[in-house]
Amino acid sequence: MEQVHNWDINTMRQMQSELNKLNDILKENKELLNSESFEISESLKGLAGAKVMFKTISTALALQKDIDKCESLSSYINDLITKCYEPCEQEITSKVSQLMNY
């Protein structure tokens, strides 16, 4: 049996905001890594330069996977809020309003 969690929309928005901040940091780190390693590999020749580039590419790909995961999770949270929780809250508010008018 699946467990249902009831979340406050503000809490979910805060989680989404934190994910977006983390994602921005990951993007900045990836850009910094690429620029710094390019400069280092330019000064190194031969095998050393190739090793630096290979390691940089591997790390950049790993960072990109994390960036993609953060973006996907942020989008998922947004969908939960806008497609699930907000419509339910609006319906509940409407029903309560109808009951109060009787």
Side-chain angles (χ1 to χ4, degrees):
M1 181 176 200
E2 230 176 281
Q3 186 174 12
V4 176
H5 296 279
N6 295 319
W7 290 89
D8 183 321
I9 290 176
N10 292 331
T11 302
M12 289 193 299
R13 288 267 182 232
Q14 186 177 8
M15 289 168 55
Q16 185 181 26
S17 176
E18 292 300 318
L19 272 171
N20 290 337
K21 287 177 190 175
L22 175 61
N23 201 26
D24 290 341
I25 291 169
L26 289 171
K27 286 178 182 178
E28 288 173 15
N29 287 346
K30 181 182 169 196
E31 289 175 19
L32 180 64
L33 174 71
N34 286 334
S35 66
E36 292 295 319
S37 66
F38 181 75
E39 289 177 21
I40 292 169
S41 67
E42 284 291 307
S43 63
L44 298 173
K45 301 296 179 200
L47 186 58
K51 273 186 156 181
V52 168
M53 283 306 280
F54 177 75
K55 185 66 175 170
T56 300
I57 291 169
S58 299
T59 305
L61 288 173
L63 278 173
Q64 187 59 51
K65 285 181 182 179
D66 291 339
I67 290 168
D68 293 343
K69 286 177 187 175
C70 281
E71 288 173 351
S72 176
L73 188 53
S74 178
S75 177
Y76 181 72
I77 290 171
N78 188 62
D79 286 348
L80 280 175
I81 293 168
T82 59
K83 295 178 181 175
C84 297
Y85 282 85
E86 286 178 340
C88 287
E89 284 189 359
Q90 290 168 359
E91 183 178 349
I92 290 168
T93 302
S94 174
K95 296 290 182 186
V96 168
S97 182
Q98 287 175 359
L99 287 171
M100 299 290 282
N101 291 327
Y102 280 114

